[in-house]
Amino acid sequence: AVCSMGNSTSRLYSVLAKTLSSGAVSQHQECLEQLDSAQLDPIDPKDLLEECQIVLQKRPPRFQRSFVNLKKNAGSNHRPIRVMQWNILAQALGEGKDNFVQCPMEALKWEERKCLILEEILAYKPDILCLQEVDHYFDTFEPLLSRLGYQCTFFPKPWSPCLDVEHNNGPDGCAIFFLKERFQLVSSANIRLTAMKLKTNQVAIAQTLKCRETGRLFCIAVTHLKARTGWERFRSAQGCDLLQNLKNITQGAKIPLIVCGDFNAEPTEEVYREFSNSSLNLNSAYKLLSPDGQTEPPYTTWKIRPSGECRHTLDYIWYSQHALNVNSALGLLTEEQIGPNRLPSFNYPSDHLSLVCDFSFNQDPDRLL
């Protein structure tokens, strides 16, 4: 079978409209998996951004957010590594299960919402992108981002709730994308998390990368822990399992680590304390935005469901604090920007905010972690 994904000479719908329709995914998925992205024509990110903006011209302009400089010294001469963490909201869940009572269904249309997601990614130009609730990997994110120069990895949940939704686009899962010009893949592990010795429905991906510029190794991981209140001990067990896997992969913290995820856990939960107190010596990057450097943001998700308003801090970027420096972090949306109907909305495609940090390596590679 021939998989035509368009070519670089055609304009608008060469890229966006030729991503496969939901109904075509299953028959094309095997073909997409086997497709060599190196054979596809590259996309100019400026062209793709322009195409997205044409699709979105009837929507309000995207929110403006600013980076906060957190660098305390002159630091590295090397380019920082920009990492983006985002639960993008699975399309099947947004339309079929999540009951965002103040969000018009029109705002959730995939043909436009995918452009809002892409616009956010293109605006911040991450070197590494970590996503959760990806249910359009094979028909949208892999074919597009591979043509932007990213190497792409996806690990679906074994029993995705998306599959319960009529006309779904397959299971949702976690995904990592990194720029091949900046990093070389050394190893990759798909981890199905366990809790109380039982395999669970939650997953993680951990990849060891080599920075081509510095020659330094580091590990990037993405996860999405079990949701809902009443599952705190379960999340704690999943977190312990993930930490143990990461200790093995990083050789007991010899390799610097960045962990991105929707932990579905407030900072008061046990799983948060496990990561804070781990022998991997992790810190949460977004705490550095607070005046004391010790307090998480007031929210990373804000939505209205039939049960009421849900405003929580659930998303984190953890990092090896003695091996890596946080140069800057992207400020969060204000309550005024989010608006009274909360998220998602015509302005913003997900109920979770994207987190973006710029990292640099500590200049003393022999310093103990």
Side-chain angles (χ1 to χ4, degrees):
V2 175
C3 289
S4 174
M5 302 303 293
N7 60 66
S8 57
T9 57
S10 51
R11 287 290 295 159
L12 178 59
Y13 291 104
S14 68
V15 177
L16 293 176
K18 280 197 177 184
T19 56
L20 301 173
S21 66
S22 298
V25 171
S26 57
Q27 69 188 77
H28 287 278
Q29 184 162 317
E30 184 181 345
C31 178
L32 282 166
E33 287 175 312
Q34 294 173 352
L35 200 60
D36 182 0
S37 60
Q39 296 175 354
L40 295 173
D41 296 313
I43 304 169
D44 186 325
K46 292 180 181 176
D47 288 344
L48 180 57
L49 182 59
E50 184 181 320
E51 295 176 6
C52 288
Q53 289 168 343
I54 292 170
V55 174
L56 297 170
Q57 57 190 333
K58 293 182 181 178
R59 293 208 179 202
R62 61 183 298 277
F63 295 123
Q64 294 304 305
R65 300 163 65 185
S66 300
F67 280 90
V68 178
N69 184 16
L70 300 168
K71 211 169 187 178
K72 294 175 183 173
N73 51 46
S76 171
N77 296 322
H78 299 292
R79 277 190 298 164
I81 297 169
R82 177 163 292 181
V83 176
M84 184 173 190
Q85 147 61 29
W86 200 12
N87 178 332
I88 59 171
L89 175 60
Q91 183 64 21
L93 301 184
E95 286 188 307
K97 278 200 166 214
D98 277 349
N99 295 316
F100 302 119
V101 293
Q102 297 295 333
C103 178
M105 286 300 290
E106 185 76 9
L108 296 171
K109 284 173 53 179
W110 178 242
E111 289 309 308
E112 293 181 10
R113 200 171 77 84
K114 75 177 177 185
C115 291
L116 278 177
I117 295 170
L118 290 167
E119 186 183 44
E120 182 94 344
I121 294 167
L122 290 163
Y124 298 121
K125 305 183 181 74
D127 300 303
I128 302 171
L129 173 63
C130 293
L131 302 180
Q132 300 86 38
E133 291 200 20
V134 180
D135 64 344
H136 275 270
Y137 176 81
F138 292 105
D139 65 339
T140 300
F141 295 104
E142 193 278 341
L144 290 179
L145 291 175
S146 65
R147 294 174 66 186
L148 289 169
Y150 290 90
Q151 185 158 327
C152 315
T153 305
F154 175 63
F155 190 27
K157 295 173 185 170
W159 314 299
S160 167
C162 293
L163 300 176
D164 296 334
V165 178
E166 194 175 3
H167 308 304
N168 68 76
N169 199 61
D172 76 300
C174 293
I176 290 182
F177 308 84
F178 66 83
L179 286 176
K180 291 184 286 185
E181 70 171 17
R182 292 213 64 188
F183 311 108
Q184 176 187 344
L185 181 64
V186 176
S187 65
S188 184
N190 288 352
I191 303 163
R192 184 172 170 188
L193 298 175
T194 63
M196 297 84 167
K197 299 185 179 178
L198 298 173
K199 290 187 180 295
T200 74
N201 193 35
Q202 280 64 48
V203 300
I205 306 169
Q207 297 190 326
T208 302
L209 305 180
K210 182 178 182 179
C211 179
R212 296 186 189 276
E213 189 177 1
T214 64
R216 300 282 296 267
L217 292 178
F218 67 100
C219 177
I220 180 77
V222 60
T223 195
H224 188 187
L225 301 187
K226 173 67 181 168
R228 298 192 177 32
T229 55
W231 291 87
E232 291 81 6
R233 286 185 61 204
F234 197 83
R235 281 190 286 275
S236 175
Q238 289 182 326
C240 285
D241 183 49
L242 178 56
L243 285 168
Q244 188 55 54
N245 275 280
L246 294 174
K247 285 173 190 173
N248 294 336
I249 291 167
T250 61
Q251 301 166 29
K254 288 181 182 176
I255 298 171
L257 173 65
I258 300 170
V259 186
C260 295
D262 175 358
F263 279 63
N264 275 306
E266 292 272 11
T268 52
E269 271 199 36
E270 182 63 31
V271 67
Y272 182 93
R273 290 193 292 274
E274 286 162 1
F275 270 72
S276 294
N277 300 325
S278 163
S279 62
L280 292 171
N281 206 354
L282 300 173
N283 192 23
S284 174
Y286 265 71
K287 287 199 309 187
L288 302 179
L289 288 180
S290 66
D292 63 359
Q294 299 298 316
T295 309
E296 291 289 354
Y299 51 83
T300 62
T301 178
W302 201 342
K303 52 206 156 200
I304 302 175
R305 284 182 162 145
S307 57
E309 199 148 344
C310 305
R311 178 179 179 268
H312 301 291
T313 299
L314 306 177
D315 307 271
Y316 306 96
I317 300 178
W318 297 92
Y319 68 101
S320 300
Q321 58 187 328
H322 292 317
L324 296 165
N325 301 309
V326 184
N327 297 359
S328 61
L330 182 65
L332 299 173
L333 293 178
T334 65
E335 180 175 357
E336 291 70 31
Q337 286 176 310
I338 290 172
N341 295 329
R342 309 315 183 198
L343 305 173
S345 66
F346 282 108
N347 300 74
Y348 200 78
S350 177
D351 54 326
H352 289 253
L353 300 178
S354 63
L355 308 181
V356 186
C357 290
D358 290 335
F359 291 96
S360 59
F361 290 105
N362 187 302
Q363 287 310 286
D364 182 0
D366 299 321
R367 185 173 174 179
L368 292 175
L369 302 182

